[in-house]
Amino acid sequence: PSDFPNCGDDCPVEMVSWKDAQDFITRLNQRSGRRFRLPTEAEWEYAARSGGKREKWAGTSNESELGDYAWVSANSRNTTHSVGQKRPNGLGIYDMAGNVWEWCADWYDVNYYQRSPKDNPGGPGSGSSRVLRGGSFDNDAWGARVANRIRVDPALRYSFYGGFRLALVPR
């Protein structure tokens, strides 16, 4: 599903709820015989920061370079764009900042990271909202920062968010 079909088959998915993503993962796991899941917030951030570098945005810390890596309000013309058109981050991953907010596995807790384990925190055990990361085509540079996070009801769908990436659980 997409509110923005202008980029054809390479559009980022959006208008997908967290629950829709879980349904997709369940079907994919059944068909593939493998175990996929949404990344935790910590895994998402590690990947966005090119393997844990201190980058402000996925791929760079220089705001003047952000347009080389991300579709944000300054260059998006208020729409999503085909994935992979901008530069990848240091791990070779495209579109970690901008274009579409991405669901993570975690429940949202504003204070979780003040008391979480330092290494590989798994996220809160419960909550009412899920975490989205990465910003969207409608965000300015501040909104597309790797550290930025928002909370959304897991049943909601909206054109700015609903993207997701998959983590493959090792066999």
Side-chain angles (χ1 to χ4, degrees):
S2 177
D3 263 0
F4 305 98
N6 59 314
C7 55
D9 293 338
D10 293 329
C11 286
V13 66
E14 29 91 5
M15 295 293 295
V16 174
S17 70
W18 187 90
K19 292 176 180 182
D20 293 335
Q22 295 304 310
D23 291 343
F24 174 83
I25 291 167
T26 298
R27 289 191 311 273
L28 178 63
N29 289 345
Q30 290 169 347
R31 289 183 183 181
S32 70
R34 302 191 73 182
R35 275 189 48 218
F36 292 93
R37 60 176 175 75
L38 291 176
T40 65
E41 223 185 325
E43 291 168 334
W44 186 96
E45 186 165 332
Y46 181 82
R49 290 187 190 269
S50 301
K53 295 179 183 173
R54 298 187 63 76
E55 295 174 342
K56 194 169 187 177
W57 296 277
T60 186
S61 286
N62 187 341
E63 187 170 348
S64 68
E65 295 176 355
L66 180 58
D68 295 337
Y69 292 88
W71 292 110
V72 292
S73 59
N75 65 356
S76 71
R77 297 180 316 277
N78 205 34
T79 189
T80 60
H81 292 268
S82 297
V83 298
Q85 292 184 341
K86 296 293 184 178
R87 293 179 63 184
N89 72 2
L91 293 179
I93 305 173
Y94 292 87
D95 298 300
M96 292 290 293
N99 225 1
V100 177
W101 285 97
E102 299 178 3
W103 291 110
C104 292
D106 303 39
W107 290 105
Y108 182 87
D109 179 344
V110 69
N111 298 314
Y112 176 72
Y113 292 105
Q114 294 173 0
R115 62 181 181 279
S116 70
K118 182 179 186 272
D119 294 330
N120 203 21
S126 63
S128 60
S129 300
R130 293 290 183 168
V131 174
L132 288 135
R133 300 293 293 262
S136 78
F137 64 88
D138 191 44
N139 287 112
D140 60 11
W142 186 89
R145 291 172 306 120
V146 171
N148 198 20
R149 55 200 293 260
I150 62 170
R151 65 179 182 212
V152 174
D153 180 309
L156 292 180
R157 297 179 184 98
Y158 196 64
S159 60
F160 294 18
Y161 56 77
F164 61 95
R165 293 176 189 271
L166 299 178
L168 177 61
V169 178
R171 292 181 189 212

